[in-house]
Amino acid sequence: MAEDLQQLVLTTLDTHGTIADTRALTIPGTSQPAASADAQIIVLGALNSLDSRQMIKYDAHETLSHVLTPEGAHIALEGSHEARVWAALPAKGDGEPVTPAQLKTLVGDETAKIGQGRAFKNGWIAKEGNGLVKSKPAIEDTTQVELRQVDSTGTLPSGDKGLAELRKRKLIVQKKGQWFTVHKGPEFSTSTAKPETDLTVDMLTSGQWKTSKFKKYNFEAEGIYPNGGALHPLLKVREEMRNIFLEMGFAEMPTSSFVESGFWCFDALFVPQQHPAREMQDTFYLSDPVKSLHPPKDYYERVSKVHEHGGYGSTGYHAPWSDAESHKLLLRTHTTASSANMLYKLAARCRGEQIEGEEYDFGGTSGRVERKEGLEGATDGFRPAKLFSIDRVFRNETMDATHLAEFHQVEGVVADRGLTLADLIGFMRVFFNKMGIKNVRFKPAYNPYTEPSLEIFAFHPMLNKWVEVGNSGMFRPEMLAPMGFPKDVHVHGWGISLERPTMIRLVYGINNIRTLVGHKVPIESVEKAPAVRF
């Protein structure tokens, strides 16, 4: 039928020069003009095939019509609910009134429920005692008449008001359609013979290629989809987050140390050595080697002192200090261990000190200063710093739809004079908004190394609930002062996961983290994952 329809279009064009309205065509094999929307879809397929060979050109015109819903089709056939209620009742004074319970038996629950109200509104029925009777000897079922008109013509003579009422009752739905005006193209011909698409050895040998007509090469066509080289959704979201940080002026921290000491992972952050997070059911410890190298001696002594005895305005934890606990090696539970290390180096740089002869990029704080003062006083070498990292962390978690034992943490710190919690909340809203996550909430929380602290929640549309995506707060003086920062320097710190924002992205449709990371992830899902756009 497709080739016959193409031939009909070409023959009609050859005879008349143009086709003003394709709804006047009669599709081969049918007896009626192609006036319906479905018929015009068939016509469009033939036109696209001819247009691809530049044999024709066509213009599309949009039409709006209405079609019956299943309920509307039933009413067009059997009558409206109100008419069926009226028909089931006796005339006034001619028999016993029908009670509502009897009416349900006669016409059904739905018809009785809907039809009574509309029949009363139209004045077709009335109450008599405990039952219902007809109040009019005859009626006109306007709803049925209108639906039959819509079914045959797609519209109503009364216009939009009647159509709107039927749409409101969900008896009809609006349907868009098209029809076309067709003209001859630059390669017009009445022959539907398709041009050659491949140059074969036989054509070259026989010389047939000299007289053959070839299809033009389409340089706009997409190539074959590659089998490999696809990026995992996490890598796509990671790169987008990284670009957001760089756009906001952050410098990236080195986070290659998956193995950290208890000192940098906990002690330097003012996490007490008796904290539950340091127990084996929450943290992975190394059995070989079991002990880390000693951190800088003077800094180590200041940290142990503030833990055990207090200082810098703090009373400390008044708990015994264990060197063995501090020197344990573990798989880092958060990248804040790297942040603490970088903040220590930043504080040393502010005091004009060089650590182990290394240079670091603190986002504009490079360069040495000559003058320095005591740890309790302000230093002249401080410059604000904005640092971030995105890397793996490890926790001894029970795996479920939103938890893994190994995941990624997006870590950031901002160090400046006079920062407040309002600055942190404002930044997080801007950051998540750039990610396309606008529904964000903050909840007060407790962290050993931040005060005040906030948990960050984002709404997951597929799970239909608020999901925790991160933690944040202001680093405590007990953490910053031993590093050597001035008293008026405050530091924002936050950590958000990479997996959960990826799950929240509707473009990926992921509601279980185990389908995003791990050995059960099908490679096909990675190959077909769309590019993320924040």
Side-chain angles (χ1 to χ4, degrees):
M1 185 179 72
E3 290 187 0
D4 292 340
L5 180 55
Q6 293 175 30
Q7 187 64 62
L8 173 64
V9 171
L10 296 175
T11 303
T12 306
L13 282 176
D14 189 48
T15 303
H16 301 286
T18 187
I19 300 175
D21 189 342
T22 53
R23 290 174 293 184
L25 294 174
T26 300
I27 297 175
T30 65
S31 58
Q32 298 293 328
S36 69
D38 292 338
Q40 286 301 301
I41 291 175
I42 297 173
V43 171
L44 177 60
L47 297 182
N48 283 334
S49 179
L50 295 173
D51 182 55
S52 67
R53 289 178 268 166
Q54 297 187 329
M55 299 177 72
I56 64 149
K57 297 182 294 182
Y58 69 87
D59 300 313
H61 309 276
E62 189 177 84
T63 62
L64 293 176
S65 62
H66 291 80
V67 295
L68 306 187
T69 63
E71 183 182 1
H74 183 70
I75 289 175
L77 183 64
E78 302 289 340
S80 66
H81 297 295
E82 54 269 31
R84 278 179 274 167
V85 166
W86 177 87
L89 300 180
K92 189 173 183 179
D94 185 15
E96 287 294 323
V98 175
T99 65
Q102 292 172 330
L103 182 62
K104 290 182 179 180
T105 304
L106 293 172
V107 298
D109 289 353
E110 184 179 7
T111 297
K113 180 180 179 181
I114 299 173
Q116 281 186 70
R118 300 196 67 85
F120 272 118
K121 183 179 179 181
N122 294 340
W124 294 354
I125 64 174
K127 284 186 175 181
E128 186 174 289
N130 294 327
L132 303 171
V133 294
K134 294 176 181 175
S135 60
K136 286 190 175 183
I139 62 168
E140 181 185 2
D141 193 354
T142 307
T143 302
Q144 184 184 38
V145 173
E146 289 181 341
L147 287 174
R148 288 179 175 178
Q149 289 176 337
V150 172
D151 192 35
S152 60
T153 65
T155 188
L156 284 177
S158 59
D160 292 339
K161 186 175 181 180
L163 292 170
E165 176 64 21
L166 293 177
R167 285 198 302 268
K168 183 179 179 182
R169 294 180 63 182
K170 298 182 180 180
L171 302 179
I172 63 172
V173 291
Q174 194 174 67
K175 186 176 181 180
K176 290 184 178 181
Q178 285 184 312
W179 60 275
F180 310 93
T181 302
V182 189
H183 313 278
K184 293 180 180 179
E187 301 295 329
F188 177 78
S189 170
T190 56
S191 172
T192 58
K194 293 185 178 180
E196 301 288 348
T197 57
D198 296 307
L199 181 62
T200 65
V201 174
D202 292 339
M203 294 170 68
L204 292 172
T205 304
S206 64
Q208 180 187 345
W209 66 272
K210 296 179 181 179
T211 57
S212 297
K213 187 175 183 179
F214 290 91
K215 184 179 181 180
K216 288 188 176 180
Y217 193 87
N218 183 9
F219 289 95
E220 302 297 326
E222 295 183 357
I224 298 174
Y225 198 82
N227 291 326
L231 290 177
H232 191 283
L234 277 180
L235 294 179
K236 297 176 185 178
V237 176
R238 182 190 186 281
E239 188 61 24
E240 288 295 330
M241 284 191 176
R242 185 174 182 273
N243 289 336
I244 290 173
F245 274 117
L246 295 175
E247 173 191 313
M248 298 179 75
F250 281 72
E252 191 164 12
M253 292 185 281
T255 53
S256 57
S257 301
F258 286 5
V259 176
E260 285 283 3
S261 67
F263 176 81
W264 287 111
C265 197
F266 297 116
D267 294 333
L269 301 177
F270 199 57
V271 178
Q273 292 191 334
Q274 298 76 25
H275 196 278
R278 303 176 74 148
E279 295 179 2
M280 292 185 68
Q281 62 262 31
D282 288 317
T283 301
F284 293 110
Y285 286 94
L286 270 65
S287 58
D288 185 21
V290 296
K291 186 177 180 180
S292 70
L293 298 176
H294 203 286
K297 185 178 179 181
D298 56 343
Y299 177 51
Y300 180 81
E301 291 176 351
R302 292 195 296 270
V303 171
S304 63
K305 180 182 177 182
V306 78
H307 271 253
E308 195 169 9
H309 305 292
Y312 313 105
S314 171
T315 60
Y317 291 118
H318 292 285
W321 176 267
S322 169
D323 289 331
E325 185 71 28
S326 187
H327 286 82
K328 285 182 179 179
L329 283 172
L330 50 89
L331 292 179
R332 66 182 178 205
T333 60
H334 46 201
T335 51
T336 316
S338 298
S339 300
N341 200 300
M342 290 299 293
L343 287 172
Y344 171 70
K345 294 181 172 78
L346 174 63
R349 177 66 58 84
C350 295
R351 300 193 305 273
E353 299 175 3
Q354 188 74 25
I355 299 176
E356 301 176 358
E358 298 183 48
E359 292 291 336
Y360 298 93
D361 176 15
F362 294 103
T365 65
S366 59
R368 295 188 60 174
V369 295
E370 299 301 327
R371 184 159 53 126
K372 59 181 179 180
E373 300 177 10
L375 294 178
E376 297 287 348
T379 60
D380 295 331
F382 175 77
R383 296 183 188 178
K386 295 190 290 186
L387 307 170
F388 82 96
S389 66
I390 306 174
D391 215 331
R392 295 184 186 183
V393 295
F394 310 88
R395 295 182 189 175
N396 197 355
E397 296 268 15
T398 300
M399 292 186 287
D400 57 28
T402 56
H403 293 86
L404 289 176
E406 175 185 348
F407 56 96
H408 291 77
Q409 182 173 336
V410 182
E411 171 89 10
V413 295
V414 177
D416 202 351
R417 299 184 190 273
L419 290 177
T420 66
L421 187 66
D423 298 318
L424 174 60
I425 293 175
F427 167 80
M428 296 307 297
R429 290 196 183 277
V430 172
F431 180 83
F432 278 101
N433 189 61
K434 286 179 177 288
M435 288 171 54
I437 300 175
K438 302 183 185 299
N439 290 339
V440 179
R441 288 179 178 175
F442 301 93
K443 175 185 174 183
Y446 167 76
N447 287 320
Y449 47 91
T450 58
E451 178 61 36
S453 306
L454 296 173
E455 288 178 345
I456 309 162
F457 291 81
F459 188 75
H460 194 307
M462 292 186 66
L463 295 178
N464 195 32
K465 68 177 183 179
W466 291 89
V467 177
E468 183 185 352
V469 293
N471 218 320
S472 63
M474 307 276 292
F475 283 131
R476 297 177 67 100
E478 293 96 328
M479 172 186 165
L480 300 178
M483 293 179 177
F485 280 108
K487 287 184 178 180
D488 61 343
V489 171
H490 299 157
V491 180
H492 290 159
W494 68 92
I496 65 176
S497 73
L498 182 62
E499 285 79 2
R500 290 184 186 177
T502 303
M503 292 169 63
I504 291 171
R505 294 295 298 170
L506 284 177
V507 69
Y508 292 128
I510 298 169
N511 58 14
N512 191 321
I513 197 170
R514 289 167 290 190
T515 64
L516 179 66
V517 183
H519 64 284
K520 293 184 179 180
V521 178
I523 192 65
E524 294 82 8
S525 67
V526 177
E527 292 177 347
K528 296 177 182 178
V532 65
R533 290 291 182 270
F534 289 146

